[in-house]
Amino acid sequence: MKSRGVVLVIEDDQDIRSLICVILTQMGFDVHAVASGAEGLAAARTLHPVLVTLDLGLPDIDGHEVAHRIRDLSEAPMLFVTAHAEPDDEMASMASGAAAYLTKPFRPKQLMELADMLCPAEGTAPVLLTP
Ligand code: CA
């Protein structure tokens, strides 16, 4: 199966990072996951991702700052993933260049729908990989 492209996953929570990776891999993306903003910026420079999922609560750099810097490096749509559900956060995220917004805890289906919306598949049905 042809890859749908590289998704850069920036998420410091290991459980959520694993979950996002499993879901996106099953959808046919090549997933590159990192746990900090600095690693995310380095990866965004070199990987040419088709989609970036960005946790706003990162240990090193503020998520919105990471988003602004990625916007300078990449045209990829950014899916923000955050524990905060305040309307102000959503507004700030849109201002930071978010294409979509996912609040933790999220259901796998929500992530799949947003990934399909931001990076539509080319006609083929998704193939589920067996572990
Ligand atoms: Ca976090």
Side-chain angles (χ1 to χ4, degrees), residues 52-56 63-64 67-68 78-82 89 92-94 96-103 114:
V52 178
T53 79
L54 175 61
D55 174 22
L56 291 183
H64 291 289
H68 282 299
M78 280 186 281
L79 172 58
F80 285 17
V81 182
T82 177
D89 289 330
S93 296
M94 295 307 167
S96 299
Y101 194 85
L102 194 57
T103 304
L114 287 172

Side-chain angles (χ1 to χ4, degrees), residues 6 11-12 27 32-33 37 40 44 59 61 69 74 77 81-82 92 105 107 116 131:
V6 175
E11 169 65 68
D12 67 310
M27 292 179 72
H32 184 93
I61 308 172
R69 294 198 212 168
S74 171
V81 182
T82 177
R107 287 176 293 114
D116 271 334

Side-chain angles (χ1 to χ4, degrees), residues 10-94:
I10 308 172
E11 169 65 68
D12 67 310
D13 183 302
Q14 190 178 343
D15 289 340
I16 295 174
R17 192 168 65 242
S18 299
L19 175 65
I20 292 174
C21 288
V22 167
I23 293 167
L24 294 175
T25 300
Q26 285 187 341
M27 292 179 72
F29 294 103
D30 288 326
V31 181
H32 184 93
V34 298
S36 72
E39 290 173 282
L41 289 168
R45 262 186 211 103
T46 56
L47 287 178
H48 308 292
V50 297
L51 174 67
V52 178
T53 79
L54 175 61
D55 174 22
L56 291 183
L58 291 166
D60 55 345
I61 308 172
D62 175 75
H64 291 289
E65 178 63 27
V66 175
H68 282 299
R69 294 198 212 168
I70 286 179
R71 187 43 72 231
D72 290 338
L73 300 167
S74 171
E75 296 290 311
M78 280 186 281
L79 172 58
F80 285 17
V81 182
T82 177
H84 308 292
E86 299 295 325
D88 284 353
D89 289 330
E90 192 154 358
M91 291 303 291
S93 296
M94 295 307 167

